[in-house]
Each structure stands twice: as C-alpha cells, then as structure tokens.
C-alpha cells in the first residue's frame, strides 16, 4: 500500500536507523573482521590487508567527485558486480574502494577502471589517494545547493584536483597532504584541521532589507549571532515611510562572517567582487608524533575567478611544491612550518605577510603573537 | 542541453572526474528515459541545476533563497529545504530539497541496496547525490516538497532505511572502518556507532537540544574519521598495556626486506630505512631504543601516538588491553572560535552493551540541555562555565591527563565547603583585631 496523504500517520515507520553494516561486508571482510595482521600499499591506490589466518583482501581506491549522479553510481555498481561480488565502500574522504580477495583480480579491475573516461577526457575512476600523496578534497555544497557560500565548492575542487592530479596518483610527498574546502566559515567539514584549506570568505558587511526584516527575522537571534557584537537593535525606515524594529550594523566591527545572515534572511552579504577565498595551512587531526593542529590563515584573499580559480590553484601548487622540497620524511605541513618557523614559511613560499594574518579575536589573540626574541631574519 | 553553459563546460576537461560531465550525463539519461520511468519531478531538473549554476558563475553569488523548512511527519529534521531565487527561469529546481539518509557503518554497500536507492531517487528526485555528506549521510540532492513523504514511505517500507539528522539534535554518527579492514582498530567502531545510533533515534529525529551534537568513532589515534575535530563527542580507540613487538619483523625492516610505513613513501627515494632516524628519533616521548639488534619501548612513557606502529605495521601491534578515550567539545569557529575535542575520559571499556558510555553521554546531555544557551555548542558551554562544571555534571574526578598544562593565572575558584570556616564572616569580629 502506498503512502496516503489523507492519513499521514497511518502505517508510518520511524526510528529504524541505518541498515546494519554487517549486511554489506564482503565475505572476506566478514570472515576476518577484527583479525587483520598487517597491510601494505602495493602501489598508488592499491592496498592489501593480510589476516592472521593468511586471507588477503586487495583494495583499489579511486577518486570520487562526491557530487555524483545515479548513472555514475550505477556504473560503480556495475564494476562492483563484475569484479567484487557486488560489494564496495566509500571512504571518509569520499573516495570509492573496490575490494577483491585475490591478487589475480586486481589487474583486470584496474584496467577496467582506468578505461572508463568522461567525454572531456577525464577519468571516471582515477586510481590513487593512498600513502604520502594528495588525496581527495573534502568539500561542501557551494553554489550548487547552499544559501550562505562565498565561493563554489565543486568547481574549485575540480580545478585544484586537475592541477594536483599527479599527486593523487603518486606518493612522493613527505607525508600525506589533506586539502579541504568550505564555502563559508561555518566550515562544514575539515577546513579548520587540514594541511591546506580553502575557505570561502566575504569582505563586505551585510545589507539590510528594510522592507521585510521585521517580518522574517527574530531580531535578538540576529544580534546574538555576531561574534564581534557589531549588531545592535535599531529602528529602520521602511520604503513605505513607516518605521519598523530592525538592526544596525557597525561596519567597523563587522568582519563579514555571515552568521547574521544564517539567522536572518534580511541580511544578505554575498558580493561578486567582495567574495573570494582564504587559504589556511598546517592543520592535522591525527595524533601521530605531534598533537592535532588547527590550520592557520596564510593568504587573506584570492578572487573568485570562475570557472577555474587560477590564483587559488597556483597558490596551492606553490605551497605543495615548497613543502615537498623542504620538509623531512613523515613531517606534516604544519609540523614543517612550525619547525622552520612561520617567518621562514612565508619566505620560502613567497607568500605575502599582511596585517590580515595577525590574530585580533579576543583574548587568545595575544598567545599567537611572539613573546620571545627568538626569530629568524628573512629576506 | 536546455541551457548554454560556457563557463561550466570548461570544467569538463582535465583528468579529475568532472561533476559537470556527470550531471550532463544524468540530464541526458532523463531526457532519453530508456526505462520509461514515471518521473515525479521535472524531467529537466538536471538541465536546470546546470543552468542555475552557470548563472551563479556569471553573478558569482549563490542563487538559492535563504533557508527552507520542510520535512516529514513525526520527525523534526533530516530534510534540508532549498528554493531557487529564479524559479521562473529554472522551474526544475524551484524546489531543490536535500534528504539525508543514514549511511551504514564504514560506508560498506551491496549493489543490491544501492540499486534500490537509485531506483527510488531516479523516480522521485533529481538523480543527483553526494556520496557522502561531511557528517556521513548519503545525500539525496534535489527534490520537490510533495515527494518528501513518498520518499520517506518507500525508504522505510521498501528498503528498511531511515533518514539521518539535521537541526538542533543528535546528527548522524559516523565511524572509521575499524575492525572491518584495519589492524590498528582498538575497538569495534562500527558496532558502537550502530548501537548508539539506534539507542538515540529519538534524539536524532526530534530536535531537543540547544544546538547540534555529533558523535564520531575513530578506531585509533590516527583519527581517520577526524572525530577529534568534527564531533562534540569523539570516541578514539587506544590501549593500556604494551605495544607488541615482533623482533624478527623489526630486523626485517632494518634489513630492508619490508618497506617502512607499508610503502606509503615509495614514490620518492628517501634512502634506506633508518630505524634510528625514522622511528626512535621521531618518537615524541623518546621512550624507544634500538641497540642494533633489539627494539625496546618504555611503554609507561609511551603516549600511543601511533607513529612507530604506522612506520612498522608488521613488527609493532597495538596492545591487547584496548578501549576508548573520550574527548568532548570539538566544533567549527562560529561563534567563539574553533575547538578540537578535549580529553574527558582517558580510558573506558568499549564492550557491549556500552552501559558506562551511555551513562556518560546522558549525563553530558542532561547538563548541556539544562545549561546550554540557544545555539551554544557543548564546547562553548564548557568554555563559558568551565571544565570543572563538566566534571561535576559527569561525576568525574579531575586527573592530570585532562590538561596540557596547569593554569598560569592564579584566579582560582574555591568552593565554600572546601575552605575552613566558610564564607560568612563578621566584619565586627575582624575589626576587633584590625582597627579601621
């Protein structure tokens, strides 16, 4: 019996949660669950895990665009049916993994994956993303689905991954490099804790839509949404001459975070020239050697130069090249920058150090200034 | 194609999979409709999504209206409403709501399951997805309001599958692949994730919190699901006893028979493996030694950072007495700055039925639901009220592991009952001995 809109609560099933993952485990995974002995990366994109009893599972990892059609998913399924007994998985960075239980099945799978191209010549299933390379970019909705972005997500990611493609399919970095993107500073995803982070940012205060603000906003929420207390209650004159309760924005205190717009539809701030990209570097989440680190702002603004964001791809390429050439084995980008000192990071990368990069947000800002005479002279 | 897209067309070249080519493929598939699908939303939805995105590239400003409140009866979340701000130009995406579907543990799938999701989404949605959303959900991207109940009905009745979370509630928990395919996993991340997701279905579907709350489950301190940065409560696997050393395998690494770090650096010549330089010298606590024959680890000094195990996975194994560290409060910058999780529980057992873990979760929720301000994340509540208040609420004793360092300022609060004689004093009594 189908859904009956006249009796919406009839036959309603709720609170059943996700499917049990055990239904979806390939037989070799199910059999050796919790009994893995060791693993090896046989080549970029290809892993083998060996179980205590000697069973092996070979994994071929391929890049995913994250945004994908059901036609593409059906093609993934076709591959999984043909080579992997109808099982597959996705990674926490939105790559796709195909698993087989015998080495002889790896080459045919790889050949099949690499033979599949898009009309523009791109790979549908590029193999890579393992070891000390550059894997998929964790990213957000951008202009495709969100109302608060300051940049696109899918377009920027495509541009950057095209530029860094050779690093996806190789393992020549000192350590793995995690790049992520968020289209506004809500930072959905991993921008605050990535080796390199691309962040959409505004540079103009919100406009106030006097005609509707008193109807569509809960004013106290908009006021409470501001981290710098730049918003206060104020009367506003509507276009029809009447007065309404609204807010006033102190432009000198506004740093364009956009959180008031999140709370109040009458305070839009997106702007073609004002909006663009901030680059952050040096974050990590693993506890390996050093503790997890936040990423730090190193480029305060790059323009939204559609459709390929050349300033952004050039900047990231430059950071990656200098890091790859200078850092020690196992050293994450943030560990390298801290070891050589941030002044050396700017010297080596040639990035300009501007006043925007000096923290000025509340008490903790002080701890980011330099309370020591230890520093290096740079040219 | 229905709309000209000269800017987006430039994103069809290059080696990385192009989302533009993929959406065009779906648009063509819908136009052709080889299977005779009875499409429930406009056939040209994919054409219109490309059209509106192209216009966005021209204007460099999003063309989605603010907000959008839609959903299914019985639930307060799970669907993100979205409306185009040029509905006449792009009627196919006048409504373009997202449905979050709770993914399975480790994101393992059978094609049989995915086929059902694809069939449902082809008929009732745009055919566009995100695999996956950052929190973990399967994202079904783009449908119209009247389809929401229909989709939910078919999801639950035909596929046995529920929605994920959105709003001020428990969001969809997610995990690293854990014991399914990793020798580092210190507990069964998938089992705990599945158990807690089911235990707290009500909190997930019906927002009852001051703000959002996320769980993530990492099997070890490598943090492959980034719980320490992206979950209000992060569950990170660890162990209490000794790292297990296979000295023969260590010798094989030193002898060059096994590649360090499982071969992760093989794209470049880093020279022969040097255990002194690459392992002993990089250990953050300096608790390892290599005398040319034998590797020793002073385990009580080890902080379980995983480096040596990551470099020599065939020789070094996690301990056998395993469990979880629990860290709390991670969040993105809004409002008062980004936070990573702070250590609350150094070690807790991770065996079903997870009673101790659930008791802790519920104590934290009781405290935050009572004290948290509107749209205040747990991490911000802890900052505002102090870590000590969280300890009181969770009935935990303070231990030195909870801090990176003791406080530097002496602005120390004492409770009245900790101080002899209490706080109520008589100035007259004081003046008897101290003339004004």
């Amino acid at each position: 019996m189908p859904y009956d809109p006249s009796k919406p609560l009839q036959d309603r099933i709720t609170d059943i949660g996700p499917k049990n993952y055990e239904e979806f485990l390939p037989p070799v995974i199910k059999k050796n669950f919790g009994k893995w002995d060791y693993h090896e990366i046989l080549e970029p994109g290809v892993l083998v895990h060996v179980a205590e009893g000697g069973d092996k599972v070979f994994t071929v990892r391929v890049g995913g665009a994250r945004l994908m059609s059901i036609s593409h998913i059906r093609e993934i399924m076709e591959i999984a049916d043909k080579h992997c007994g109808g099982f597959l998985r996705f990674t926490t960075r939105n790559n796709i993994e195909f698993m087989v239980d015998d080495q002889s099945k790896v080459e045919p799978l790889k050949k099949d994956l690499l033979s599949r191209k898009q009309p523009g010549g791109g790979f549908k299933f590029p193999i890579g993303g393992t070891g000390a390379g550059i894997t998929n970019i964790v990213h957000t909705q951008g202009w495709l689905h969100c109302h608060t972005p300051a940049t696109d997500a899918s377009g920027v990611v495509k541009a950057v991954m095209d530029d860094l493609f050779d690093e996806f399919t190789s393992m020549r970095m000192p350590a793995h490099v995690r790049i992520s993107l968020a289209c506004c500073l809500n930072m959905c995803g991993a921008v605050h804790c990535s080796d390199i982070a691309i962040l959409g940012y505004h540079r103009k205060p919100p406009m106030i839509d006097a005609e509707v603000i008193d109807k569509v906003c809960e004013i106290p929420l908009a006021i409470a949404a501001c981290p710098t207390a730049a918003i206060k209650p104020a009367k506003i004159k509507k276009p029809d001459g009447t007065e309404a309760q609204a807010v006033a924005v102190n432009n000198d205190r506004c740093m364009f975070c956009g959180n008031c717009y999140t709370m109040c539809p009458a305070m839009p701030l997106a702007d073609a020239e004002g909006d663009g990209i901030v680059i952050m570097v040096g974050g990590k989440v693993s506890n390996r050697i050093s503790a997890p680190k936040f990423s730090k702002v190193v480029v305060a603004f790059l323009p939204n130069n559609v459709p390929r964001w050349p300033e952004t791809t050039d900047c990231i390429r430059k950071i990656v090249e200098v890091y790859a050439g200078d850092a020690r084995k196992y050293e994450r980008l943030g560990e390298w920058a801290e070891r050589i000192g941030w002044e050396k990071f700017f010297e080596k990368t040639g990035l300009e150090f501007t006043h925007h990069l000096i923290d000025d947000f509340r008490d903790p800002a002080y701890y980011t200034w330099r309370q020591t005479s230890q520093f290096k002279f740079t040219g | 194609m229905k709309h000209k897209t000269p800017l987006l067309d430039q994103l069809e070249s290059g080696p990385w999979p192009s989302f533009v080519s993929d959406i065009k493929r779906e648009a063509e598939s819908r136009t052709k409709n080889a299977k005779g699908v009875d499409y429930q939303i406009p056939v040209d939805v994919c054409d219109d999504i490309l059209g509106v995105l192209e216009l966005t590239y021209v204007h460099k400003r999003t063309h989605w209206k603010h907000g959008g409140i839609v959903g299914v009866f019985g639930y307060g979340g799970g669907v993100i409403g979205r409306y185009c701000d040029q509905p006449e130009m792009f009627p196919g995406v006048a409504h373009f709501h997202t449905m979050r579907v709770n993914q399975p543990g480790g994101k393992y799938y059978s094609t049989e399951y995915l086929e059902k999701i694809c069939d449902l989404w082809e008929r009732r949605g745009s055919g566009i997805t995100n695999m996956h959303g950052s929190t973990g959900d399967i994202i079904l991207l783009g449908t119209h309001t009247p389809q929401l109940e229909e989709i939910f009905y078919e999801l639950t009745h035909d596929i046995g599958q529920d929605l994920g979370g959105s709003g001020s509630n428990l969001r969809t928990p997610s995990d690293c692949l854990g014991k399914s395919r990793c020798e580092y996993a210190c507990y069964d991340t998938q089992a705990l994730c599945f158990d807690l997701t089911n235990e707290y279905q009500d909190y997930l579907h019906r927002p009852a919190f001051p703000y959002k709350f996320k769980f993530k489950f990492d099997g070890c301190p490598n943090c492959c699901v980034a719980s320490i940065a992206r979950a209000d409560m992060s569950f990170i696997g660890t162990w209490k006893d000794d790292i297990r050393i296979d000295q023969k395998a260590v010798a094989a690494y030193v002898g060059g028979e096994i590649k360090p770090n499982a071969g992760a650096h093989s794209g470049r010549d880093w020279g022969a493996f040097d255990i002194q330089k690459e392992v002993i010298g990089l250990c953050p606590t300096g608790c390892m030694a290599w005398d040319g024959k034998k590797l020793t680890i002073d385990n009580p000094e080890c902080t379980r950072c995983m480096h040596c195990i990551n470099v020599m996975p065939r020789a070094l194994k996690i301990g056998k007495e395993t469990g979880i560290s629990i860290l709390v409060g991670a969040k993105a910058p809004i409002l008062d700055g980004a936070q990573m999780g702070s250590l609350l529980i150094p070690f807790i057992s991770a065996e079903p039925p997870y009673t101790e873990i659930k008791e802790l979760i519920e104590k934290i929720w009781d405290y935050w639901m009572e004290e948290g301000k509107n749209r205040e994340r747990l991490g911000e509540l802890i900052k505002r009220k102090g870590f000590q208040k969280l300890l009181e609420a969770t009935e935990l004793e303070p231990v030195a592991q909870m801090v990176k360092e003791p406080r530097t300022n002496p602005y120390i609060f004492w409770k009245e009952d900790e101080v002899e004689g209490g706080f109520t004093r008589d100035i007259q009594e004081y003046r008897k001995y101290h003339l004004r």
Side-chain angles (χ1 to χ4, degrees), chain A residues 1 11-12 15 36-37 39 41 68-69 71 74-75 81 92 118 145 152 158 172 261 288 330, chain B residues 16 18 22 25-26 57 66 73 82 96 111 119 153 157 180 183 206 261-262 268 278 317:
Chain A
M1 212 167 52
D11 292 332
R12 179 160 297 258
D15 300 276
W36 298 104
D37 188 21
H39 76 284
I41 305 173
M68 58 178 72
S69 69
S71 298
R74 286 191 169 125
E75 191 165 344
D81 281 335
T92 57
Q118 290 180 319
H145 195 257
D152 191 27
K158 163 73 174 153
R172 67 166 191 108
Y261 180 58
R288 186 175 183 171
Y330 306 113
Chain B
W16 187 251
S18 167
D22 190 29
R25 175 188 190 179
E26 194 60 30
Y57 272 52
H66 183 281
F73 279 113
R82 200 63 81 209
F96 200 66
T111 53
D119 286 348
Y153 191 92
H157 286 77
S180 72
E183 67 271 25
R206 296 165 199 91
N261 217 120
R268 179 156 149 195
E278 296 185 36
K317 308 282 175 196

Side-chain angles (χ1 to χ4, degrees), chain A residues 28-248:
Chain A
V28 63
I29 295 286
K30 201 166 199 171
K31 183 181 165 205
N32 295 289
F33 197 97
K35 296 178 196 152
W36 298 104
D37 188 21
Y38 68 91
H39 76 284
E40 277 179 67
I41 305 173
L42 299 175
E43 58 183 280
V46 183
L47 305 156
V48 59
H49 286 78
V50 182
E52 284 160 3
D55 281 347
K56 291 180 179 178
V57 62
F58 296 84
T59 300
V60 179
R61 184 178 294 169
V62 304
R66 189 180 91 112
L67 173 70
M68 58 178 72
S69 69
I70 54 171
S71 298
H72 190 71
I73 296 175
R74 286 191 169 125
E75 191 165 344
I76 293 169
M77 288 155 48
E78 178 215 317
I79 295 166
D81 281 335
K82 193 162 137 196
H83 299 271
C84 313
F87 295 100
L88 64 128
R89 70 173 293 268
F90 290 80
T91 71
T92 57
R93 298 192 73 86
N94 307 312
N95 289 313
I96 306 146
E97 291 186 339
F98 296 100
M99 288 154 286
V100 293
D101 56 12
D102 193 278
Q103 189 145 21
S104 66
K105 298 176 183 171
V106 173
E107 280 308 316
L109 169 60
K110 277 174 56 192
K111 203 174 150 202
D112 189 357
L113 289 166
L114 294 179
S115 72
R116 295 170 189 253
K117 297 277 191 79
Q118 290 180 319
F123 290 97
K124 283 180 179 168
F125 304 105
I127 298 173
T130 55
I134 299 184
T135 186
N136 211 341
I137 300 181
V138 167
H139 64 276
T140 55
Q141 298 294 28
W143 290 333
L144 197 102
H145 195 257
C146 194
H147 59 155
T148 67
T151 190
D152 191 27
S154 303
V156 186
V157 165
K158 163 73 174 153
V160 173
M161 285 309 290
D162 278 343
D163 192 55
L164 294 175
F165 187 73
D166 290 347
E167 312 304 339
F168 180 79
T169 57
S170 67
M171 305 190 291
R172 67 166 191 108
M173 293 288 133
H176 47 279
V177 178
R178 301 289 189 238
I179 305 180
S180 63
L181 176 146
C183 43
C184 82
L185 55 46
N186 278 325
M187 293 195 181
C188 302
V191 157
H192 62 307
C193 54
S194 297
D195 294 278
I196 301 177
I198 306 163
L199 174 67
Y201 210 76
H202 305 286
R203 293 185 301 161
K204 297 186 185 183
M207 297 165 277
I208 294 180
D209 192 341
E211 212 166 331
V212 296
I213 187 164
D214 60 336
K215 294 195 180 69
V216 299
C217 292
E218 208 169 316
I219 302 281
L221 292 186
I223 293 167
C226 183
T228 56
I231 304 174
K232 62 180 180 184
K235 296 277 186 200
I236 199 166
K237 206 161 210 177
K238 295 169 98 167
D240 66 3
T242 59
E243 216 175 49
Q245 190 60 47
V247 297

Side-chain angles (χ1 to χ4, degrees), chain B residues 326 333 360 375-376:
Chain B
I326 298 179
L360 176 75
R375 288 175 66 85
E376 184 177 50

Side-chain angles (χ1 to χ4, degrees), chain A residues 1 3 8 11-21 24-25 29 33-34 36-41 49 59 63-64 66-75 77 81 86-90 92 94 97 118 120 122-124 126 131-132 136 141 143-147 152 154-155 158 161-162 165 171-174 186-187 189 192-193 221 224-225 227 259 261-263 265 270 272 285-289 292-294 304 306-309 324 329-330 362, chain B residues 7 10-19 22 25-26 35 53 56-57 59-62 64-67 73 75 82 96 98 102-103 105-111 113-115 118-119 122 127-133 141 149 152-153 156-157 159-162 177 179-181 183-184 188 190-191 194 201 205-206 221-222 224 228-230 261-268 270 278 284 305 307 310-311 314 317 332-336 338 340 374-375:
Chain A
M1 212 167 52
Y3 172 67
D11 292 332
R12 179 160 297 258
I13 296 173
T14 66
D15 300 276
I16 56 174
K19 299 290 276 187
N20 190 331
Y21 57 94
F24 301 141
L25 300 177
I29 295 286
F33 197 97
W36 298 104
D37 188 21
Y38 68 91
H39 76 284
E40 277 179 67
I41 305 173
H49 286 78
T59 300
R66 189 180 91 112
L67 173 70
M68 58 178 72
S69 69
I70 54 171
S71 298
H72 190 71
I73 296 175
R74 286 191 169 125
E75 191 165 344
M77 288 155 48
D81 281 335
F87 295 100
L88 64 128
R89 70 173 293 268
F90 290 80
T92 57
N94 307 312
E97 291 186 339
Q118 290 180 319
F123 290 97
K124 283 180 179 168
N136 211 341
Q141 298 294 28
W143 290 333
L144 197 102
H145 195 257
C146 194
H147 59 155
D152 191 27
S154 303
K158 163 73 174 153
M161 285 309 290
D162 278 343
F165 187 73
M171 305 190 291
R172 67 166 191 108
M173 293 288 133
N186 278 325
M187 293 195 181
H192 62 307
C193 54
L221 292 186
N259 199 40
Y261 180 58
T262 298
M263 301 308 293
V285 296
S286 91
N287 293 275
R288 186 175 183 171
I289 304 176
K293 296 178 195 296
F294 289 114
N304 275 328
V306 297
R308 284 217 162 251
W309 282 268
K329 193 177 180 186
Y330 306 113
R362 299 187 185 168
Chain B
L7 290 167
Q10 295 176 53
L11 289 169
E12 290 201 86
S13 59
W16 187 251
S18 167
F19 68 98
D22 190 29
R25 175 188 190 179
E26 194 60 30
K35 285 185 289 184
L53 190 59
T56 305
Y57 272 52
H59 289 158
K60 300 188 198 180
R61 290 187 301 265
T62 189
W64 300 105
K65 288 186 191 180
H66 183 281
F73 279 113
Y75 286 0
R82 200 63 81 209
F96 200 66
T98 280
N102 197 148
Q103 83 291 355
K107 302 191 181 81
Y108 284 89
Y109 292 104
S110 67
T111 53
Y113 168 83
L114 286 176
E115 182 66 47
C118 288
D119 286 348
E122 181 167 38
I128 303 295
T129 76
N130 286 156
M131 297 296 278
H132 295 73
L141 196 64
E149 290 288 1
F152 181 66
Y153 191 92
T156 49
H157 286 77
I159 311 184
Q161 169 68 58
D162 209 334
L177 57 63
K179 285 180 182 262
S180 72
R181 209 197 60 204
E183 67 271 25
Y184 303 154
D188 189 344
Q190 290 165 285
F194 186 65
Q201 281 288 295
H205 295 302
R206 296 165 199 91
N222 282 326
C224 290
I228 199 166
R230 297 166 63 180
N261 217 120
H265 297 76
S266 56
R268 179 156 149 195
W270 291 92
E278 296 185 36
C305 83
H307 175 65
N310 286 339
V311 176
R314 288 179 76 164
K317 308 282 175 196
I334 292 292
L335 205 56
D336 67 359
M340 302 258 189
N374 183 36
R375 288 175 66 85

